[in-house]
Amino acid sequence: MAIHALTGFSLVSLLSFGYLSWDWMKPSLVADVATDPMEKPLPPTFTRPPHIIFILTDDQGYHDVGYHGSDIQTPTLDRLAAEGVKLENYYIQPICTPSRSQLITGRYQIHTGLQHSIIRPRQPNCLPLDQVTLPQKLQEAGYSTHMVGKWHLGFYKKECLPTRRGFDTFLGSLTGNVDYYTYDNCDGPGVCGYDLHEGEDVAWDQSGKYSTFLYAQRVSKILASHSPKEPIFIYVAFQAVHTPLQSPKEYIYRYRSMGNVARRKYAAMVTCMDEAVKNITWALKKYGYYDNSVIVFSTDNGGQTFSGGSNWPLRGRKGTYWEGGVRGIGFVHSPLIKRKRRTSWALVHITDWYPTLVSLARGNLSNVQGLDGYDVWPAISEGKESPRTEILHNIDPLYNHAKYGSLEDGFGIWNTAVQASIRVGEWKLLTGDPGYSDWIPPQTLTNFPGSWWNLERLTDGLRKSVWLFNITADPYERYDLSEQRPDVVRSLLMRLVHYNRTAIPVRYPAENPRAHPDFNGGAWGPWASEDDGEEWEGGREPLKSRNKKKKCKICKLRSFFRKLNTRLMSNRI
């Protein structure tokens, strides 16, 4: 009865609240900062390769930045974006490992074998060792390269570690999520370990320091010890704002009026991260890097609405191929930009950073074959047309096949049961099961799970396996045009067929018991020897730890969400 009342409440009430009237082009949200029309842009001073700071946040929703109309305070991000170039047609991947792998390699995940899910802590898997990474190319160009934050590209053998993949130094975690203070991560009941590393060693002495602060302080320390006369690349992959929802109390207090507890904690984490970016920017200026620097800001995937995130007014959430899962927050801030203080609608994808940054660094791309990214600096700096006209969001042959998909529905050329998505020009096609498809407003009600809103909107999709949207005209994906435009559907299916022919086999090996932290002194880290193959599966059952098992709060949280999802699905059906 309660659920029925909620489904009836959603659409009418949201309209009455004005939630669905959010204007995609509303000036107060995404318009350019006013500038003097007579002001001429200053040319960039590329007297030497620029310093590059790439900041990646984790699970920050599209709506969760001030300049997108959020109730969360992000004054630093707002200012940096306003003074630079906002990327409002910018795409990422729906989950962690895929976005990071495509940033580091410049290749779609179908071309690295990582097209299914994430790399899990106990899997003998990592970013393919034959891939030349972005930091390696920058090292070739004479850059000092440093990584601070979350890796999540595999670590089962030492060759997989950040310091073996192009980074001179590394401070951060290897797995997908850790406690912000203790750096513990549980990958199942009793499978818990410490995950904070300095280079290739476990950084036990850093436990107790809030990761957002720790990482910003490390960036400042790197800048202080380096010469601004020599080019530097720093990849800052904040753990924030991924679960667990943890923040210093003083930041939570700012949002004490928020009724939704998860949203309150999440907002505090976003604002804390914003201040960390402020400190990094201040360090760039203090130590003489700023005038010859390029700061790139990007999210890694859509926000998780169960955990306080919001992608409003976009459809879907983290882990889905709806716009809420793959359209990211992105901007570039640099004194070297020719046309500053504007919003760019050029099509940009996370794979584009590889060739763009290597070109800025005056590196050599002639010996790199098969990149899926494009050099988009002219589009960003000068406002030229983007060289990119399409994006393969993904083809995942292992994901649960849609019950109602078939080869017949795909004109005999594509099995629409397979999860896939592609953007070509203004058109976007999805097949299979794209993931949870609600439009979820900001969680403004006390302890109200946002995912219970608009349940009746899902009924039209239960027996479908093909969707087509004109994203330019319909960025919220409200109007499926697959039946009206079968010609466009067929054309985009042909592009999927083309890409699928270039895909390499999926790399998703079974978990190995040898990865248990008990075998590594209580910490997550490499467990296979250098002589073992890339999918080494040897090992033995872990011995029972002599230490008292730590309570796995993360595991309990995951279990809660699984049960909640099951209940929601049963109510829909």
Side-chain angles (χ1 to χ4, degrees):
M1 183 68 180
I3 295 294
H4 179 75
L6 287 173
T7 58
F9 159 83
S10 60
L11 182 58
V12 175
S13 298
L14 293 180
L15 285 169
S16 65
F17 288 156
Y19 281 133
L20 294 183
S21 64
W22 194 91
D23 188 349
W24 187 253
M25 297 293 288
K26 188 175 181 179
S28 63
L29 300 181
V30 297
D32 304 341
V33 174
T35 58
D36 185 347
M38 300 302 293
E39 180 184 3
K40 295 182 179 180
L42 295 175
T45 55
F46 283 103
T47 56
R48 58 184 186 273
H51 307 297
I52 301 170
I53 311 298
F54 195 103
I55 300 173
L56 186 72
T57 59
D58 200 343
D59 287 9
Q60 183 179 0
Y62 181 84
H63 185 67
D64 299 329
V65 66
Y67 67 85
H68 280 173
S70 178
D71 53 350
I72 299 177
Q73 300 166 22
T74 58
T76 302
L77 299 184
D78 296 346
R79 179 179 57 80
L80 292 176
E83 295 174 355
V85 176
K86 301 172 186 174
L87 304 177
E88 291 298 333
N89 204 6
Y90 174 57
Y91 286 86
I92 48 183
Q93 296 305 114
I95 48 178
C96 302
T97 297
S99 280
R100 294 161 204 274
S101 69
Q102 297 193 46
L103 166 65
I104 294 295
T105 67
R107 289 171 168 81
Y108 292 140
Q109 58 205 89
I110 65 164
H111 295 146
T112 59
L114 299 175
Q115 54 267 57
H116 179 67
S117 191
I118 60 174
I119 296 178
R120 302 191 180 279
R122 288 180 281 174
Q123 282 184 312
N125 195 13
C126 72
L127 190 72
L129 299 177
D130 60 351
Q131 294 289 329
V132 179
T133 66
L134 171 60
Q136 286 172 333
K137 294 303 295 182
L138 293 176
Q139 281 181 332
E140 291 178 8
Y143 275 68
S144 173
T145 59
H146 306 268
M147 179 178 173
V148 180
K150 172 178 168 178
W151 176 238
H152 208 186
L153 289 174
F155 59 89
Y156 79 103
K157 52 199 296 186
K158 287 188 175 181
E159 290 94 328
C160 302
L161 297 176
T163 48
R164 307 288 181 99
R165 304 312 304 271
F167 290 104
D168 296 326
T169 68
F170 168 67
L171 173 68
S173 60
L174 299 174
T175 61
N177 63 305
V178 299
D179 186 283
Y180 282 74
Y181 292 96
T182 67
Y183 299 98
D184 291 328
N185 178 24
C186 295
D187 190 43
V191 188
C192 299
Y194 184 82
D195 183 17
L196 184 65
H197 294 75
E198 174 88 54
E200 298 182 7
D201 299 321
V202 182
W204 298 103
D205 60 321
Q206 301 292 346
S207 179
K209 300 177 182 178
Y210 188 66
S211 72
T212 304
F213 292 156
L214 176 66
Y215 294 156
Q217 290 166 1
R218 174 51 59 96
V219 174
S220 295
K221 184 177 180 180
I222 292 171
L223 294 172
S225 61
H226 187 78
S227 170
K229 295 181 180 180
E230 300 297 328
I232 190 171
F233 169 60
I234 305 179
Y235 171 37
V236 189
F238 281 114
Q239 175 188 353
V241 286
H242 197 291
T243 54
L245 299 179
Q246 296 172 305
S247 172
K249 291 182 179 179
E250 59 268 28
Y251 292 91
I252 297 177
Y253 185 75
R254 300 185 191 185
Y255 296 100
R256 60 192 180 278
S257 62
M258 279 190 176
N260 185 287
V261 175
R263 182 69 174 171
R264 185 190 313 158
K265 293 179 179 179
Y266 176 92
M269 295 166 70
V270 173
T271 295
C272 184
M273 177 273 296
D274 181 85
E275 290 195 10
V277 174
K278 177 182 179 180
N279 292 337
I280 292 173
T281 307
W282 180 83
L284 287 170
K285 295 180 179 180
K286 177 182 179 181
Y287 298 115
Y289 296 87
Y290 178 78
D291 290 341
N292 189 41
S293 69
V294 174
I295 301 173
V296 180
F297 181 90
S298 171
T299 50
D300 71 334
N301 47 245
Q304 179 52 273
T305 53
F306 273 136
S307 303
S310 175
N311 306 301
W312 185 256
L314 303 179
R315 185 176 187 176
R317 65 187 186 201
K318 172 184 177 178
T320 77
Y321 288 95
W322 305 105
E323 291 291 283
V326 297
R327 189 186 284 259
I329 300 172
F331 65 79
V332 179
H333 178 96
S334 172
L336 306 176
I337 294 174
K338 288 185 178 181
R339 294 182 56 200
K340 305 180 184 68
R341 298 177 178 270
R342 65 185 183 85
T343 295
S344 171
W345 294 92
L347 187 62
V348 179
H349 184 248
I350 195 167
T351 53
D352 297 331
W353 296 121
Y354 186 113
T356 300
L357 299 181
V358 173
S359 296
L360 275 177
R362 301 175 184 173
N364 181 17
L365 288 170
S366 63
N367 59 349
V368 181
Q369 304 298 321
L371 288 180
D372 294 306
Y374 295 85
D375 180 358
V376 293
W377 184 252
I380 293 171
S381 177
E382 304 173 45
K384 293 184 178 180
E385 185 176 352
S386 173
R388 176 175 289 282
T389 59
E390 65 183 47
I391 296 172
L392 175 67
H393 293 302
N394 195 26
I395 300 171
D396 185 349
L398 297 189
Y399 193 80
N400 296 333
H401 282 200
K403 183 177 181 180
Y404 297 98
S406 67
L407 188 62
E408 180 181 358
D409 289 342
F411 298 95
I413 59 175
W414 183 263
N415 183 358
T416 63
V418 175
Q419 185 190 63
S421 181
I422 189 170
R423 164 90 180 261
V424 178
E426 61 188 9
W427 296 102
K428 178 181 177 181
L429 179 77
L430 304 98
T431 70
D433 178 4
Y436 195 86
S437 63
D438 273 357
W439 294 267
I440 306 170
Q443 296 88 325
T444 56
L445 301 185
T446 303
N447 295 326
F448 197 78
S451 300
W452 286 355
W453 300 47
N454 292 344
L455 290 182
E456 83 285 352
R457 301 297 297 273
L458 293 173
T459 56
D460 64 344
L462 293 178
R463 295 179 178 272
K464 286 182 61 64
S465 63
V466 178
W467 293 262
L468 177 71
F469 301 97
N470 184 320
I471 292 298
T472 303
D474 178 26
Y476 313 135
E477 296 170 300
R478 295 176 186 166
Y479 308 108
D480 176 19
L481 303 176
S482 58
E483 294 184 4
Q484 292 93 316
R485 295 301 303 272
D487 57 321
V488 178
V489 171
R490 183 182 178 88
S491 176
L492 269 60
L493 288 176
M494 288 297 296
R495 293 303 296 161
L496 286 178
V497 171
H498 163 74
Y499 279 113
N500 199 46
R501 288 171 180 161
T502 70
I504 68 173
V506 179
R507 299 162 53 91
Y508 198 74
E511 294 182 343
N512 193 295
R514 186 64 184 86
H516 199 296
D518 284 358
F519 290 134
N520 195 35
W524 292 101
W527 73 88
S529 71
E530 295 182 3
D531 296 328
D532 291 317
E534 286 199 28
E535 293 190 2
W536 185 78
E537 295 184 359
R540 54 192 171 90
E541 290 296 326
L543 300 174
K544 188 174 182 180
S545 176
R546 296 178 182 177
N547 299 325
K548 185 178 180 181
K549 290 184 178 179
K550 300 176 182 178
K551 293 181 179 180
C552 184
K553 295 181 179 179
I554 298 172
C555 303
K556 292 180 179 179
L557 193 61
R558 288 173 178 164
S559 177
F560 168 76
F561 286 150
R562 282 196 295 267
K563 292 178 181 179
L564 185 58
N565 263 322
T566 302
R567 187 173 69 175
L568 288 172
M569 287 301 298
S570 64
N571 284 324
R572 290 178 199 141
I573 298 170

